[in-house]
Amino acid sequence: MAWIDGSIPAMVQTARINTPFENLSQLLHVQQQRAQLAEQDDLNRQRREQEQERQRAIAEQQGVRDLIASMSANGQPVTPETLIPALQARGMGDTALKIQSQLETQQKTRADTLKATLDNHEKAIGIAGKLLNGVQDEASWQAVRPQITHLFGSVNPALLQGVPETYDAQRIGAMRDGAMTAADRLATQRLELDKSKFGAEQLKA
């Protein structure tokens, strides 16, 4: 039997057991790493999608340019009425719908702006006409002249050329008649615009 020197420590390493706090720390570290990887994957996916969308937009724009160049070379007029069917015929229906939607938005914006302008002009001319109806002499003319000047100038600065400095029955009468005619014309234009907008909306529906 071999003799063992008890003064020499045995080279045996006992297994170390992690405390609950250490286990929790390791678990949280793993979860954090997984979350970071998932976040990076999402960022990469978003970048790929953005790049794909950018490439699609470039191809779409180039396709429209090529079509316009081809139509022009063949002597075809390039208008929304001719371009949209041509895009559809080339299998670019989505692009055609997008352009049509953009054109409709632009037309609506222009129509709304024009209507607002006509409304404002009609109101200004109407107020000026009522003020002119009360002008009978120099005093009454000077009392309303600043307002008349402001109202006419807001409609068209050229109208100011017809505004006299002093009371002139003939010129003021002509201004009164002109204001009534202009108000009627503006009201007619506004009604026609409303009808055209209604007709366009009915066709879309």
Side-chain angles (χ1 to χ4, degrees):
M1 180 176 180
W3 174 75
I4 299 176
D5 187 350
S7 64
I8 301 175
M11 301 299 292
V12 177
Q13 184 176 4
T14 59
R16 184 176 180 278
I17 301 176
N18 290 341
T19 67
F21 291 105
E22 290 174 327
N23 290 335
L24 178 60
S25 177
Q26 291 175 356
L27 177 61
L28 291 175
H29 179 68
V30 171
Q31 289 178 340
Q32 184 180 13
Q33 287 182 323
R34 289 176 178 174
Q36 290 174 344
L37 290 173
E39 183 178 359
Q40 187 61 45
D41 288 342
D42 286 340
L43 287 174
N44 292 336
R45 177 181 54 78
Q46 291 175 10
R47 288 168 182 163
R48 287 195 301 270
E49 291 175 352
Q50 290 172 355
E51 178 61 21
Q52 290 171 356
E53 182 60 30
R54 190 180 72 85
Q55 293 296 334
R56 279 196 297 268
I58 292 174
E60 181 181 272
Q61 293 171 1
Q62 186 60 49
V64 173
R65 285 195 292 266
D66 291 345
L67 178 57
I68 291 174
S70 175
M71 293 173 66
S72 299
N74 293 327
Q76 295 177 267
V78 181
T79 65
E81 292 75 15
T82 59
L83 180 59
I84 290 174
L87 287 169
Q88 293 171 336
R90 282 200 173 191
M92 301 174 67
D94 290 344
T95 304
L97 288 174
K98 188 182 298 183
I99 292 176
Q100 185 174 6
S101 177
Q102 292 172 349
L103 291 172
E104 289 174 353
T105 299
Q106 293 172 0
Q107 290 172 351
K108 183 179 184 303
T109 300
R110 286 195 295 268
D112 289 344
T113 301
L114 177 58
K115 183 179 183 302
T117 300
L118 292 175
D119 286 343
N120 291 334
H121 288 179
E122 184 182 356
K123 290 176 183 177
I125 292 296
I127 294 172
K130 291 179 180 179
L131 292 173
L132 289 169
N133 285 334
V135 174
Q136 302 297 331
D137 50 28
E138 180 67 24
S140 58
W141 168 240
Q142 294 302 328
V144 301
R145 188 179 182 280
Q147 293 173 273
I148 295 295
T149 302
H150 172 72
L151 292 167
F152 278 14
S154 68
V155 175
N156 188 340
L159 295 175
L160 298 177
Q161 297 176 1
V163 180
E165 291 288 339
T166 59
Y167 177 73
D168 184 323
Q170 184 175 358
R171 292 180 66 182
I172 290 174
M175 289 171 57
R176 186 186 301 115
D177 294 340
M180 293 176 60
T181 301
D184 291 341
R185 185 168 60 250
L186 288 168
T188 300
Q189 291 176 346
R190 182 171 53 79
L191 288 173
E192 289 176 351
L193 181 62
D194 288 340
K195 288 180 181 178
S196 65
K197 287 179 63 179
F198 177 77
E201 290 172 356
Q202 289 296 105
L203 289 174
K204 287 176 62 179

